C-alpha cells in the first residue's frame, strides 16, 4: 500500500510541476527585474525546479523505508 501512496504523490508533484511551468504563471515572472543580478524569470524557474527535485527525493526516500 505504501508504494501506491508514493506513486500517487509523485503524480501529484508532476501535475504541480506542469502547472508551475505553464504559461500563465510563467508570464507573471517575466518582468525586467533582477534579484541579486539574476533575472526574475530565471530565478523562479530555478527555484521551482530545485523545489520539485527536493520534493521528489523526499517522497522517494520516504517510500524506501
Amino acid at each position: 500500500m505504501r508504494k501506491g501512496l508514493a506513486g500517487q504523490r509523485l503524480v501529484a508533484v508532476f501535475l504541480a510541476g506542469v502547472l508551475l511551468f505553464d504559461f500563465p504563471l510563467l508570464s507573471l515572472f517575466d518582468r525586467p527585474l533582477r534579484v541579486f543580478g539574476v533575472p526574475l524569470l530565471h530565478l523562479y524557474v530555478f527555484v521551482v525546479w530545485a523545489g520539485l527535485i527536493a520534493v521528489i527525493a523526499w517522497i522517494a526516500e520516504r517510500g524506501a523505508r
Side-chain angles (χ1 to χ4, degrees):
M1 185 166 103
R2 199 73 166 145
K3 285 186 179 184
L5 185 59
Q8 291 175 0
R9 288 179 178 161
L10 288 173
V11 169
V13 171
F14 169 76
L15 292 175
V18 167
L19 292 174
L20 288 170
F21 287 117
D22 198 21
F23 170 71
L25 196 55
L26 280 178
S27 66
L28 293 175
F29 296 96
D30 191 17
R31 304 278 181 247
L33 176 68
R34 293 185 176 264
V35 179
F36 300 113
V38 178
L40 184 61
L41 180 61
H42 296 185
L43 183 66
Y44 170 77
V45 169
F46 180 73
V47 168
V48 169
W49 173 68
L52 288 172
I53 290 174
V55 169
I56 290 170
W58 178 70
I59 290 170
E61 284 297 317
R62 260 187 92 186
R65 289 185 203 164

